[in-house]
Every structure is written in C-alpha cells, then in structure tokens.
Amino acid sequence: MEDLILELKSEIIKALNLEEISPNDIGDDDPLFGDGLGLDSIDALELIVLMEKNYGIKLTDPSQGRDIFRSVRIMAEYIQANRTK
Amino acid sequence: MNKVYLLDAKHISAQKPLSEEWTDAPIYPSGSLSSFTPSIDPDYAQCFAPNVRRRLGKLLKRALLASRTVMESSGIACPDAILTGTGFGCVENTEVFLEAMTFEGEDCLKPTNFMQSTHNTIGSLIAIETGCHGYNTTYTHKGVSFESALLDAFIRIANGHIRNALVGSYDEMTPHYRILLNRTDYPGNAYFGSETALSAILADEPSEGSKALCRIEAIEMIYGKSPQCIATALQRILCRAGRSFSDLDAIMTGLNADKANDAVYRRAEAELFSGKPLLQYKHLFGESHAVSGLGVYATAVCLQRGSVPGFMLVSDKKFRVDKLRDDLPAKTILFYNHCGGKNHALILMSSCE
C-alpha cells in the first residue's frame, strides 16, 4: 500500500502539472480538494482519466469521485480493490 | 469616421520580453528557420499564481502576460473587443492531445490538453481573465492572421461600434512542428524561425495623460499574384487616408533573407516604392506566421520615438543589414507584408503629433 501511495502521488503531480510540489509535500490523508491541494473540477476529470489509463478503473458515475478523491490514501485503497491492470 | 490609435503594445519574442530595449541594444539571433530561436520568457513564477500557471501552456502564458501588461499600461481594464491572429494556435497542447488520441485511443484523453488545443483558446482565456463579454474573434490566415484581426478592430473602432480593442498576434513552435515545417516549402532560408506573442491596444483616442504609440490611418488587404493588385492597394490606401506617395517617409517590409519571399518585396520596391527607404524587422524578430504583429509593433515604436534605428534600414539592393547606419527620422511609415506572394497587407501608420 505504501508503494502505491507514493506512486500515486508522483502520478498526480505529473498529471496535474503541480509545479513546486514533491510527493513529500502531499500528506497521505490530506484533502485533495478545497483546503488541501486546492484542486478543482477540471482536476477531478484529470484524476478520472488517470485512474482509467494507469489502473484500468472506469468511473462511470463522476459523482463517485467525491468520495474516492478525498485523499491519496482513500484513492489508493480504492485502486487496490478495483484495479484491472 | 473615428480616428484609430495604437495606444501601446507588449511583446514576448526573441528580443528582451515586455521591453523596448531592442531599439538600443538589439539581440541578433543567427541561423535559419531550421535553427529556430525560442522566445525569451520572463519568470512566470513572478507573474502567475502556481494554480493558474500549472494549467497554462507556453503560448497561453505569454499571451496572457502580454495582454495583462499592455492593458495596465494603456489604462484599460476591460477591452470592448478581443481580436486574435494566430497561424497555428496552441500547437503544443494540440500535439499532446493528438498524440494521446493516436497512441492510446479516444477513451483516456486529458481534458486540459483538449480545452487548450483550439485556435481560439487564446482569445477565450483573455476574455475570462479580463471579464470581457464583448466581440471576440480569432483569425487563422497564415502570415496575414494579425492584419486580419487588426483590420476587424480598425473597422469597428473607425465606425464607432466599439471604442477600444485588444488585438493580439500569437504563435509558438515545438520540435515536432519544426520537423514538419522543414519538409514543406515554408521559408527555409529565413533569418531564423521564431515564436511570437504580441498584445496591442487600439482605441479611438489616446489614453488620458499619455501619448499613443502611433495613429493607424488606413489598412488595405488584397489577394492576388500580379504586381497590379499591390499597385491598386497602394492607391486605395493613400486615397483612404487622404495622403500622397510623397508623404511616406519609409516602407517597413517583411524581408527575411529567403529568396522567394524577398523577390516580392524587391519587385514592389522597383515598381512601386522606388526612392523610399526600405526597413526590415525580421532580422530581429525572426519568421513565424504571427511575426507581422511584431513588425507593426516595431513600426509603431519607431514612430513614437520619431526615428527608425539605423540597424532596421535595408542598406543596399542585396537587402543587407548595416548596423552602423544613422537613424532615419520618420513620421509616416507604410507597413507592407505579404504571405506567399498572394495575400498582401498594407497599413499606413503615422506619428501622433
């Protein structure tokens, strides 16, 4: 799980072009939206694409993202349980 | 008819960005189109918040910063209209988007690249930034894209439909785009390939307490290969402005050292512009579809200072640059640009005395 969390942080930084942020700057349980990393709705779409492209997880209902993208840890747990690649 | 003034213009190009330092200390990049020279970018970290910066492509950052800066210097918070000229638009994002579509299919396309892959992304983004809900149009007419945008703004201001407009000229270059260009007949022997970001404010009167760069008296665009059509355009533009040929102090040309491109100017010089000093700007700003915007800007700066720097004068029939020539006093300059010898644009510009 720890490896997946680290990998996910790097992928998020790359996909969202988060300049000046390193994986160490993102806490495992920090909120990704709002007060945490300050991501927005376009970033949510980018994360949906990332999940499908890297882990083969297709979120058919975008509102699922509200729960899944609460933090990197929650995202990693969901990926581990549902990944197809 | 209202008079039309070019209040101010800001650039990010091969010269020092957002600065007129090129008039005293120009940078002379060397090489040809294949040895492309990128624009000199300012430190965007000082200009945009990280959350804004991360989502903007190279060209969008340049366009937004140049627009923001020229609006501040012109005292215009929200223009009545936004007109954009671009040859290829946001090529960098388009490439990423198309590459993903080619190699990974259509299921996993990144939304940001998609949103930024259109030509009119630039004008839309500036409208969002400025809160401008007015007329917003993008012209993609290769080497006369900027003139098309300028003509649109000019007509609207002259006829009183709007009082001011933000007019821009933008193009970027990518390594892949360079490879493709090298396979085409795009001017291969030009001074050097370059990128352009130029934002200018046009208005029906100079800003309060400040002097406009110049007045734009008339614009004429014409399509045709025969020398006669350029002669017709010249007669028309002089007639529109109530001027005679003797009023012109110099002709600003798009000479770029490429044989086919320069032959059009050479013929026009012999048949139409005989006896008038020829000027050039592409040895400083390079060649791109949008570079004529920088040519208009350079002409305007010369008119504001009252003279053309000696290094912009064409010294002889071989169109060589003579860096040691004296400055040329100038109050009225005719800007002439052509694209492929078929699309011609003439812009009559004069100082604001």
Side-chain angles (χ1 to χ4, degrees), chain B residues 109-149:
Chain B
L109 298 175
K110 287 164 69 68
T112 303
N113 297 133
F114 169 66
M115 288 186 297
Q116 296 188 357
S117 65
T118 64
H119 287 75
N120 53 13
T121 303
I122 307 165
S124 328
L125 189 76
I126 297 168
I128 292 167
E129 162 95 358
T130 58
C132 172
H133 296 272
Y135 181 71
N136 192 323
T137 293
T138 298
Y139 287 88
T140 56
H141 294 54
K142 283 187 167 181
V144 289
S145 299
F146 175 72
E147 287 87 337
S148 305

Side-chain angles (χ1 to χ4, degrees), chain B residues 25-43:
Chain B
I27 297 165
Y28 293 104
S30 59
S32 64
L33 193 69
S34 55
S35 62
F36 146 80
T37 301
S39 288
I40 302 170
D41 282 307
D43 181 6

Side-chain angles (χ1 to χ4, degrees), chain A residues 15-20 37-40 42-43 45-46 49 52-53 58, chain B residues 45 50-51 53-56 61 100 104 107-113 115:
Chain A
L16 305 184
N17 196 21
L18 297 172
E19 298 170 359
E20 298 163 16
L37 277 182
L39 306 186
D40 59 23
I42 297 171
D43 295 314
L45 291 173
E46 296 279 4
V49 172
E52 184 171 353
K53 196 171 150 187
K58 207 166 196 164
Chain B
N51 255 12
R53 199 170 68 235
R54 72 183 170 88
R55 198 171 278 151
L56 299 177
K61 276 189 227 149
E104 294 161 20
D107 292 338
C108 296
L109 298 175
K110 287 164 69 68
T112 303
N113 297 133
M115 288 186 297

Side-chain angles (χ1 to χ4, degrees), chain B residues 216-269:
Chain B
I216 297 181
E217 296 196 20
I219 302 175
E220 193 70 35
M221 293 183 73
I222 199 161
Y223 178 86
K225 270 193 160 180
S226 76
Q228 186 54 40
C229 69
I230 311 170
T232 305
L234 178 62
Q235 278 173 356
R236 271 194 212 157
I237 198 168
L238 291 172
C239 180
R240 272 186 214 278
R243 296 280 204 162
S244 66
F245 185 69
S246 60
D247 291 334
L248 304 179
D249 294 318
I251 315 291
M252 178 64 88
T253 69
L255 290 162
N256 72 357
D258 177 73
K259 206 173 169 184
N261 174 72
D262 290 0
V264 179
Y265 293 108
R266 193 173 288 130
R267 193 172 65 190
E269 189 210 12

